[in-house]
Every structure is written in structure tokens, then in C-alpha cells.
Amino acid sequence: MIIGITDGVTYVASDVPAILKYTKNVYYIGNHEMAKLVPGEATFYNLDGDVIQKDITEITFSAEAAEKGGYEHFMMKEILEQPDVVKATMNSVIKDDKIDLSSVGLSDEEIKNISNITIVACGSAWHVGMAAKYVFEDLAKIPVRVELGSEFRYRKPLLDKNGLVVVISQSGETADSLAALREAKDRGVKTLAIVNVVGSSIAREADSVFYTLAGPEIAVATTKAYSCQLVSTYLLALQFGLIRGEIEEVEYKNYIKELQTIPDKIQRIIDDKERIQWVASKFANVKDVFFVGRGIDYAIGLEGSLKMKEISYVHSEAYAAGELKHGTISLIEDGTLVIGILSQDDLYEKTVSNMVECKARGAYLMGLTTFGHYAIEDTADFIT
Ligand code: F6R
């Protein structure tokens, strides 16, 4: 719940966009807190009736950012916003071609002393964690465990006092992720939140916060916040790698340059949307879709598959490509759509060979790869 204040008027709403037209000054009310509202003023109390002081938060995004702006639906608007918001998120920490985590509140000393990372999140944010595991282990050589919030909170996970618990959440209010954060804090483990909503519970309670600058995400299914979360974990992993002496300065600079090309690359994909819409219409009636990939491509497939289910109501699974043959391949039949994700050169041939196994069972193959990998045309029926 939030409480908005302006001259002579007080608003109560469940989220910021509802009252943005009227005020940008809001209070976040927490659990076990009460508020007495009079026009233009709010006073806060704990359950004992003692007054508690709260800071007002000024919302930085505009009312227009929370409106459809001529698009048919919010999700399309938010997909198209990705280049801008990913750029804004990167620019919030990249200063003079270096990553500066001072706004996050993580010192070099703390980064050096982290023994391991536990990422906790739900849904798409958990998929970001799955991708982040590969990146952190690769660049910073820190062991990473990825946990579902709904599982973490109901067991007794082993946590090391020198570990770091990273909670990823767009809303900052997902109950299971919040409970996991509290569990970690209760056990004296340092917490870092990657959050989109300023002033949300997770943002307020975490020891350090990396804000994604996706702006308001109104569509229920996440798109732009997911992309911003992904890029945030890359930035963190890169900085951890440098500070812990796992990557050289030159390599670090090259990675930053590469990262800075991402917004334009996303734009290039968006510019191809007519072609993507064409293939989507061709497969709109498909019964099953399988996403296959290895390593980070598997993690990306998990998110693709969730979107397929959630938005298209089409049954879908994501598989680590090498795992398909251990049983699930029996579900691949004539016309099943298999989407192979092929973004890594070293794993390319391996995944292609798993796609070929599916084709032998009648699957229609789509290859999702980086520009220039034209050889995939020999195997896949459609390339994007
Ligand atoms: C799927 C989706 C959800 C959220 C999940 C976590 O499209 O949006 O799976 O990712 O509910 O939400 P947050 O990130 O707000 O904690």
C-alpha cells in the first residue's frame, strides 16, 4: 500500500501509477504499521500506537511513463522500451568506462571477502538468477547457488556468514522473495537486492540495493524489467571479477564496451518485429513448444518458455539441450516446435546436434542465434 500526499489531498493506492497524475510524493507503509490520514497529511504509528517517522519518497518517473502512450497494450510498449531502459540501467553505474557501485552500497572490501553467492527470486527473476550463475562463476569465479524464493523460505538453507544473498525482484514486494531476504538477514548474512520499484519492501530492507531503471512495468508479464535485471547481474559480475583479480583491466574494458552495444542490438531485433510476428502467426496453433540450449542459453530458454505459456497459453518446456534425450524426447513428434538457442560459439555444434535429434522425430526447428551464424540454415527451418 502507498500513501500519496499533495497540497490538501491525501491518496491511498496499491501502487504508484494509480496516483502519479496527482502527486509524486509518496509514503510506503510497512507491515504492522498504521496511518492516520487527514487531507494533505499522514501520521504513522506502530501497533503500540507510538508515532513513527517516515521519509517521503519522490517518484522520479512521469505519469506518461505509466500510460499506454498509443500502444494497444502495455506489454508491447514495454518490449519496445527495452533499449532505452537497459541503457539507463547501465549508465546508472558506468562512469568513465568503469563500473561504480557506490550507489549500490557495496565496497571493494566487501566484494573481496564474499565467499559465495546465493541468488533467491521467483519466476522470471529466478530465470535471471539462473543466467547470472553462469556469468558470476565465469567472470568472478565465485560459487553461486540459485534458489526459488518459495523453496528457500520453507527449508533451512545452509548460509555462510561471509556469503552474499542476492534477491532479485521487479516489484520488490513478492512475498516469497521478501521472506527469503528476511531469513538471510536474521541469520546475519549480507543481502543485496536487485529491484525496480524504489521504496518497495525488498529495497527498504536489503543491506544494499542495485536499482534497475526499467520505469513502471504495468504488464503482468515482465519484459523490460527482466532485461534490466539481466544486465545488472552482468555488471555486478564484471565488477566482482575485476576487484577479486579474476579479470584483467583490458578484458574488463572490452566487456564494458560490449555491454554498451546491447541496447542497439536489442533495437535491431525489435526492428525485425514484422518477421517475428509472421513466424508467430504461422505457429499460433502449435500444441507444444520446446526451448533447448546449453549453459546460459538454457537459462534464457527458461524465460522464453515461461512467456510462451503465460502469454500464448501454449504448453512449453525449456530443457538443457543435452538432457532432452534422457526421456523427454519421446514427446517430440511431427510438428512440435523446437526452438534452439545458440548464442555461444563453443556450445553451438553441441546444441545443433540435439536439434537434429528432434528433427529426426518430426520437429519443426527454429534456430535463435547471433547475426552471422548462417550455417544454421542447413539445419533449422526458420532462423531468427
Ligand atoms: C512472469 C513474471 C513473474 C515474475 C515473478 C516475480 O512474466 O512476471 O514470473 O517475474 O512473479 O516477480 P517480482 O520480480 O516482482 O518479484
Side-chain angles (χ1 to χ4, degrees):
M1 182 194 283
I2 56 149
I3 291 165
I5 300 281
T6 182
D7 281 348
V9 191
T10 303
Y11 301 90
V12 181
S14 61
D15 206 352
V16 171
I19 57 167
L20 258 189
K21 263 194 205 145
Y22 312 104
T23 181
K24 288 193 163 190
N25 296 323
V26 303
Y27 288 110
Y28 292 91
I29 182 161
N31 286 339
H32 310 298
E33 289 176 359
M34 301 184 285
K36 183 171 123 194
L37 310 181
V38 293
E41 252 175 65
T43 316
F44 297 90
Y45 304 88
N46 61 22
L47 290 187
D48 295 328
D50 303 325
V51 172
I52 46 177
Q53 294 306 323
K54 266 188 191 291
D55 291 332
I56 210 153
T57 302
E58 196 189 332
I59 303 299
T60 48
F61 55 81
S62 64
E64 294 74 54
E67 284 168 1
K68 270 196 277 186
Y71 291 97
E72 212 176 315
H73 40 76
F74 277 112
M75 192 165 169
M76 180 56 88
K77 175 177 180 255
E78 291 166 7
I79 288 171
L80 301 183
E81 280 171 358
Q82 285 178 103
D84 288 345
V85 296
V86 165
K87 193 187 269 177
T89 301
M90 287 196 299
N91 287 348
S92 71
V93 293
I94 298 179
K95 311 263 172 328
D96 302 325
D97 297 329
K98 281 198 183 122
I99 298 164
D100 175 358
L101 295 180
S102 52
S103 60
V104 176
L106 267 182
S107 70
D108 289 4
E109 213 40 48
E110 283 171 317
I111 293 172
K112 273 186 198 142
N113 292 330
I114 293 167
S115 57
N116 63 63
I117 296 177
T118 303
I119 300 179
V120 194
C122 300
S124 300
W126 181 76
H127 297 155
V128 171
M130 290 293 282
K133 175 182 166 71
Y134 291 100
V135 187
F136 269 108
E137 292 194 344
D138 203 21
L139 295 180
K141 308 279 183 276
I142 307 179
V144 178
R145 189 172 71 184
V146 190
E147 297 261 353
L148 291 162
S150 54
E151 291 293 316
F152 184 93
R153 68 181 289 196
Y154 296 115
R155 64 187 196 90
K156 297 268 169 292
L158 295 175
L159 290 176
D160 178 358
K161 284 265 181 279
N162 295 319
L164 175 70
V165 170
V166 179
V167 177
I168 308 176
S169 174
Q170 186 284 125
S171 61
E173 299 295 348
T174 300
D176 287 328
S177 304
L178 180 58
L181 175 86
R182 289 180 177 157
E183 170 78 24
K185 285 191 73 177
D186 284 351
R187 303 237 232 131
V189 180
K190 185 163 171 60
T191 56
L192 162 69
I194 300 177
V195 180
N196 194 44
V197 177
V198 177
S200 56
S201 304
I202 293 176
R204 278 179 286 147
E205 295 186 28
D207 299 313
S208 311
V209 185
F210 188 123
Y211 279 110
T212 50
L213 300 186
E217 194 170 59
I218 315 285
V220 173
T222 182
T223 53
K224 61 175 181 169
Y226 165 84
S227 308
C228 290
Q229 288 165 350
L230 210 50
V231 83
S232 309
T233 60
Y234 269 74
L235 291 160
L236 286 166
L238 198 49
Q239 191 63 4
F240 280 27
L242 181 79
I243 290 170
R244 293 167 71 98
E246 297 295 346
I247 44 176
E248 299 288 330
E249 190 92 23
V250 182
E251 206 186 347
Y252 171 82
K253 291 240 159 91
N254 285 341
Y255 274 121
I256 290 183
K257 267 202 203 115
E258 273 293 314
L259 278 172
Q260 285 170 324
T261 65
I262 287 178
D264 287 345
K265 288 176 177 159
I266 301 177
Q267 188 59 52
R268 221 167 138 187
I269 297 169
I270 288 172
D271 291 344
D272 205 17
K273 70 174 185 301
E274 275 74 26
R275 204 164 143 270
I276 297 169
Q277 280 166 339
W278 172 79
V279 79
S281 62
K282 197 164 141 84
F283 282 97
N285 296 320
V286 80
K287 212 164 93 271
D288 302 295
V289 182
F290 284 81
F291 287 77
V292 298
R294 287 171 183 254
I296 198 161
D297 291 337
Y298 162 52
I300 302 301
L302 288 168
E303 178 59 8
S305 175
L306 177 62
K307 286 281 132 37
M308 188 62 76
K309 292 183 270 258
E310 190 180 11
I311 302 303
S312 314
Y313 303 105
V314 173
H315 166 253
S316 173
E317 308 264 352
Y319 262 82
E323 188 60 18
L324 205 64
K325 60 175 164 288
H326 297 288
T328 309
I329 198 156
S330 57
L331 290 176
I332 311 278
E333 53 185 32
D334 271 349
T336 303
L337 177 59
V338 174
I339 303 179
I341 308 175
L342 304 144
S343 75
Q344 302 156 100
D345 285 345
D346 51 338
L347 296 170
Y348 182 86
E349 291 301 336
K350 282 269 166 204
T351 304
V352 168
S353 78
N354 299 126
M355 291 168 71
V356 169
E357 288 160 6
C358 297
K359 195 169 189 172
R361 292 181 154 260
Y364 187 92
L365 296 185
M366 186 189 294
L368 192 68
T369 189
T370 44
F371 281 94
H373 273 124
Y374 302 116
I376 189 67
E377 286 173 14
D378 298 339
T379 313
D381 304 292
F382 182 82
I383 327 292
T384 188

Short mmCIF file of all heavy atoms in Angstrom, two decimals, residues 50-84:
data_model
loop_
_atom_site.label_atom_id
_atom_site.label_comp_id
_atom_site.label_asym_id
_atom_site.label_seq_id
_atom_site.Cartn_x
_atom_site.Cartn_y
_atom_site.Cartn_z
N ASP A 50 2.64 4.18 19.02
CA ASP A 50 3.70 5.21 19.06
C ASP A 50 3.89 5.77 17.66
O ASP A 50 3.87 5.02 16.68
CB ASP A 50 5.04 4.61 19.52
CG ASP A 50 4.91 3.93 20.87
OD1 ASP A 50 4.13 4.44 21.69
OD2 ASP A 50 5.55 2.88 21.07
N VAL A 51 4.12 7.07 17.59
CA VAL A 51 4.34 7.71 16.29
C VAL A 51 5.68 7.24 15.72
O VAL A 51 6.67 7.16 16.44
CB VAL A 51 4.33 9.25 16.44
CG1 VAL A 51 4.75 9.93 15.13
CG2 VAL A 51 2.95 9.73 16.88
N ILE A 52 5.68 6.92 14.43
CA ILE A 52 6.97 6.59 13.77
C ILE A 52 7.22 7.58 12.64
O ILE A 52 6.28 8.03 11.98
CB ILE A 52 7.02 5.12 13.26
CG1 ILE A 52 5.75 4.73 12.49
CG2 ILE A 52 7.29 4.15 14.36
CD1 ILE A 52 5.79 3.33 11.91
N GLN A 53 8.49 7.91 12.46
CA GLN A 53 8.86 8.88 11.42
C GLN A 53 9.11 8.15 10.11
O GLN A 53 9.74 7.11 10.09
CB GLN A 53 10.14 9.65 11.82
CG GLN A 53 10.00 10.53 13.03
CD GLN A 53 8.83 11.52 12.92
OE1 GLN A 53 8.54 12.05 11.85
NE2 GLN A 53 8.15 11.74 14.04
N LYS A 54 8.58 8.71 9.07
CA LYS A 54 8.81 8.11 7.74
C LYS A 54 9.27 9.19 6.79
O LYS A 54 8.76 10.31 6.84
CB LYS A 54 7.50 7.55 7.20
CG LYS A 54 7.32 6.11 7.50
CD LYS A 54 6.10 5.58 6.77
CE LYS A 54 5.80 4.20 7.29
NZ LYS A 54 6.80 3.22 6.91
N ASP A 55 10.18 8.82 5.88
CA ASP A 55 10.60 9.78 4.86
C ASP A 55 9.69 9.67 3.66
O ASP A 55 9.28 8.57 3.28
CB ASP A 55 12.04 9.48 4.40
CG ASP A 55 13.02 9.79 5.51
OD1 ASP A 55 12.71 10.67 6.35
OD2 ASP A 55 14.08 9.12 5.56
N ILE A 56 9.42 10.82 3.09
CA ILE A 56 8.60 10.82 1.88
C ILE A 56 9.52 10.43 0.70
O ILE A 56 10.70 10.79 0.70
CB ILE A 56 7.95 12.21 1.69
CG1 ILE A 56 6.62 12.10 0.98
CG2 ILE A 56 8.85 13.19 0.97
CD1 ILE A 56 5.67 13.23 1.31
N THR A 57 9.00 9.67 -0.26
CA THR A 57 9.81 9.30 -1.43
C THR A 57 9.27 10.07 -2.63
O THR A 57 8.06 10.08 -2.87
CB THR A 57 9.69 7.78 -1.71
OG1 THR A 57 10.12 7.10 -0.55
CG2 THR A 57 10.52 7.36 -2.91
N GLU A 58 10.18 10.70 -3.36
CA GLU A 58 9.73 11.39 -4.57
C GLU A 58 9.90 10.47 -5.76
O GLU A 58 11.00 9.97 -6.03
CB GLU A 58 10.53 12.68 -4.78
CG GLU A 58 9.80 13.57 -5.77
CD GLU A 58 10.63 14.76 -6.20
OE1 GLU A 58 11.48 15.21 -5.43
OE2 GLU A 58 10.40 15.21 -7.34
N ILE A 59 8.82 10.21 -6.45
CA ILE A 59 8.86 9.30 -7.61
C ILE A 59 9.49 10.04 -8.79
O ILE A 59 9.11 11.19 -9.09
CB ILE A 59 7.42 8.82 -7.97
CG1 ILE A 59 6.78 8.16 -6.76
CG2 ILE A 59 7.44 7.90 -9.19
CD1 ILE A 59 7.49 6.94 -6.23
N THR A 60 10.43 9.35 -9.44
CA THR A 60 11.17 10.07 -10.48
C THR A 60 10.61 9.86 -11.88
O THR A 60 10.93 10.59 -12.79
CB THR A 60 12.66 9.66 -10.47
OG1 THR A 60 12.71 8.24 -10.43
CG2 THR A 60 13.39 10.22 -9.27
N PHE A 61 9.77 8.84 -12.07
CA PHE A 61 9.25 8.68 -13.43
C PHE A 61 7.96 9.46 -13.62
O PHE A 61 7.26 9.80 -12.68
CB PHE A 61 9.11 7.21 -13.85
CG PHE A 61 8.30 6.35 -12.93
CD1 PHE A 61 6.92 6.34 -12.99
CD2 PHE A 61 8.92 5.50 -12.03
CE1 PHE A 61 6.18 5.52 -12.18
CE2 PHE A 61 8.18 4.68 -11.19
CZ PHE A 61 6.81 4.70 -11.26
N SER A 62 7.63 9.76 -14.90
CA SER A 62 6.50 10.64 -15.17
C SER A 62 5.19 9.84 -15.28
O SER A 62 5.21 8.62 -15.44
CB SER A 62 6.73 11.34 -16.51
OG SER A 62 6.75 10.37 -17.54
N ALA A 63 4.09 10.57 -15.24
CA ALA A 63 2.77 9.92 -15.38
C ALA A 63 2.67 9.27 -16.75
O ALA A 63 2.11 8.19 -16.90
CB ALA A 63 1.66 10.95 -15.18
N GLU A 64 3.28 9.92 -17.78
CA GLU A 64 3.22 9.37 -19.15
C GLU A 64 3.89 7.99 -19.21
O GLU A 64 3.46 7.11 -19.93
CB GLU A 64 3.94 10.28 -20.17
CG GLU A 64 3.30 11.64 -20.38
CD GLU A 64 3.53 12.57 -19.21
OE1 GLU A 64 4.70 12.76 -18.84
OE2 GLU A 64 2.54 13.09 -18.65
N ALA A 65 4.99 7.85 -18.42
CA ALA A 65 5.71 6.56 -18.45
C ALA A 65 4.81 5.43 -17.99
O ALA A 65 5.03 4.27 -18.33
CB ALA A 65 6.94 6.63 -17.56
N ALA A 66 3.79 5.75 -17.21
CA ALA A 66 2.89 4.71 -16.71
C ALA A 66 1.61 4.63 -17.53
O ALA A 66 0.63 4.04 -17.12
CB ALA A 66 2.58 4.98 -15.24
N GLU A 67 1.60 5.27 -18.72
CA GLU A 67 0.41 5.20 -19.58
C GLU A 67 0.76 4.46 -20.86
O GLU A 67 1.92 4.32 -21.22
CB GLU A 67 -0.06 6.62 -19.90
CG GLU A 67 -0.79 7.23 -18.72
CD GLU A 67 -1.01 8.72 -18.89
OE1 GLU A 67 -0.62 9.27 -19.94
OE2 GLU A 67 -1.57 9.32 -17.96
N LYS A 68 -0.27 4.04 -21.58
CA LYS A 68 -0.03 3.20 -22.76
C LYS A 68 0.59 3.96 -23.93
O LYS A 68 1.17 3.35 -24.83
CB LYS A 68 -1.33 2.53 -23.19
CG LYS A 68 -1.52 1.18 -22.51
CD LYS A 68 -2.56 0.34 -23.18
CE LYS A 68 -3.92 0.73 -22.69
NZ LYS A 68 -4.99 -0.10 -23.17
N GLY A 69 0.41 5.26 -23.94
CA GLY A 69 1.04 6.09 -24.97
C GLY A 69 0.72 5.64 -26.39
O GLY A 69 1.61 5.60 -27.23
N GLY A 70 -0.52 5.29 -26.64
CA GLY A 70 -0.94 4.96 -28.01
C GLY A 70 -0.75 3.50 -28.38
O GLY A 70 -1.20 3.06 -29.43
N TYR A 71 -0.06 2.72 -27.53
CA TYR A 71 0.11 1.30 -27.86
C TYR A 71 -1.16 0.53 -27.50
O TYR A 71 -1.91 0.93 -26.61
CB TYR A 71 1.30 0.71 -27.10
CG TYR A 71 2.60 1.27 -27.61
CD1 TYR A 71 3.22 2.33 -26.97
CD2 TYR A 71 3.17 0.77 -28.77
CE1 TYR A 71 4.39 2.86 -27.45
CE2 TYR A 71 4.35 1.30 -29.26
CZ TYR A 71 4.95 2.35 -28.60
OH TYR A 71 6.10 2.88 -29.08
N GLU A 72 -1.31 -0.60 -28.19
CA GLU A 72 -2.52 -1.39 -27.98
C GLU A 72 -2.54 -1.97 -26.56
O GLU A 72 -3.58 -2.07 -25.93
CB GLU A 72 -2.50 -2.53 -28.99
CG GLU A 72 -3.89 -2.95 -29.44
CD GLU A 72 -3.76 -4.02 -30.50
OE1 GLU A 72 -2.92 -3.84 -31.41
OE2 GLU A 72 -4.45 -5.02 -30.39
N HIS A 73 -1.38 -2.37 -26.10
CA HIS A 73 -1.31 -2.87 -24.73
C HIS A 73 0.07 -2.56 -24.12
O HIS A 73 1.03 -2.29 -24.84
CB HIS A 73 -1.63 -4.37 -24.64
CG HIS A 73 -1.06 -5.17 -25.75
ND1 HIS A 73 0.26 -5.50 -25.81
CD2 HIS A 73 -1.63 -5.68 -26.86
CE1 HIS A 73 0.48 -6.20 -26.90
NE2 HIS A 73 -0.65 -6.31 -27.57
N PHE A 74 0.12 -2.62 -22.81
CA PHE A 74 1.34 -2.25 -22.11
C PHE A 74 2.53 -3.15 -22.46
O PHE A 74 3.66 -2.68 -22.51
CB PHE A 74 1.12 -2.30 -20.59
CG PHE A 74 0.48 -1.04 -20.05
CD1 PHE A 74 -0.81 -1.05 -19.55
CD2 PHE A 74 1.18 0.16 -20.06
CE1 PHE A 74 -1.39 0.12 -19.07
CE2 PHE A 74 0.62 1.33 -19.57
CZ PHE A 74 -0.68 1.30 -19.08
N MET A 75 2.25 -4.41 -22.69
CA MET A 75 3.37 -5.32 -22.91
C MET A 75 4.15 -4.93 -24.16
O MET A 75 5.39 -4.94 -24.14
CB MET A 75 2.89 -6.76 -23.01
CG MET A 75 4.03 -7.73 -22.93
SD MET A 75 3.43 -9.37 -22.62
CE MET A 75 4.92 -10.26 -22.93
N MET A 76 3.44 -4.56 -25.21
CA MET A 76 4.14 -4.14 -26.44
C MET A 76 4.96 -2.88 -26.16
O MET A 76 6.12 -2.77 -26.54
CB MET A 76 3.11 -3.90 -27.56
CG MET A 76 3.73 -3.46 -28.86
SD MET A 76 5.00 -4.64 -29.44
CE MET A 76 3.99 -5.75 -30.38
N LYS A 77 4.35 -1.94 -25.46
CA LYS A 77 5.08 -0.71 -25.13
C LYS A 77 6.36 -1.05 -24.35
O LYS A 77 7.44 -0.52 -24.63
CB LYS A 77 4.17 0.20 -24.29
CG LYS A 77 4.84 1.46 -23.79
CD LYS A 77 3.86 2.34 -23.04
CE LYS A 77 4.53 3.58 -22.54
NZ LYS A 77 4.78 3.57 -21.10
N GLU A 78 6.22 -1.95 -23.42
CA GLU A 78 7.35 -2.26 -22.54
C GLU A 78 8.45 -3.04 -23.28
O GLU A 78 9.64 -2.84 -23.02
CB GLU A 78 6.85 -2.98 -21.28
CG GLU A 78 6.05 -2.00 -20.43
CD GLU A 78 5.20 -2.61 -19.32
OE1 GLU A 78 5.30 -3.82 -19.07
OE2 GLU A 78 4.44 -1.85 -18.70
N ILE A 79 8.04 -3.88 -24.23
CA ILE A 79 9.04 -4.60 -25.04
C ILE A 79 9.85 -3.56 -25.84
O ILE A 79 11.08 -3.62 -25.90
CB ILE A 79 8.36 -5.62 -25.98
CG1 ILE A 79 7.83 -6.81 -25.17
CG2 ILE A 79 9.31 -6.10 -27.08
CD1 ILE A 79 6.96 -7.77 -25.97
N LEU A 80 9.14 -2.60 -26.41
CA LEU A 80 9.82 -1.60 -27.25
C LEU A 80 10.68 -0.64 -26.43
O LEU A 80 11.60 -0.01 -26.96
CB LEU A 80 8.79 -0.82 -28.08
CG LEU A 80 7.92 -1.67 -29.02
CD1 LEU A 80 6.99 -0.79 -29.85
CD2 LEU A 80 8.76 -2.54 -29.95
N GLU A 81 10.39 -0.54 -25.15
CA GLU A 81 11.19 0.37 -24.30
C GLU A 81 12.54 -0.24 -23.90
O GLU A 81 13.38 0.45 -23.30
CB GLU A 81 10.41 0.69 -23.00
CG GLU A 81 9.36 1.76 -23.19
CD GLU A 81 8.45 1.92 -21.98
OE1 GLU A 81 8.61 1.16 -20.99
OE2 GLU A 81 7.58 2.77 -22.02
N GLN A 82 12.73 -1.51 -24.19
CA GLN A 82 13.94 -2.20 -23.69
C GLN A 82 15.27 -1.50 -24.02
O GLN A 82 16.10 -1.36 -23.13
CB GLN A 82 13.97 -3.64 -24.16
CG GLN A 82 12.96 -4.51 -23.39
CD GLN A 82 12.95 -5.92 -23.89
OE1 GLN A 82 13.51 -6.81 -23.26
NE2 GLN A 82 12.33 -6.13 -25.02
N PRO A 83 15.51 -1.08 -25.26
CA PRO A 83 16.81 -0.44 -25.50
C PRO A 83 17.06 0.74 -24.56
O PRO A 83 18.15 0.86 -24.00
CB PRO A 83 16.70 0.03 -26.96
CG PRO A 83 15.67 -0.86 -27.56
CD PRO A 83 14.69 -1.16 -26.48
N ASP A 84 16.06 1.56 -24.36
CA ASP A 84 16.23 2.77 -23.52
C ASP A 84 16.46 2.41 -22.05
O ASP A 84 17.33 2.98 -21.39
CB ASP A 84 15.01 3.69 -23.61
CG ASP A 84 14.96 4.36 -24.97
OD1 ASP A 84 15.99 4.33 -25.68
OD2 ASP A 84 13.89 4.87 -25.34
#
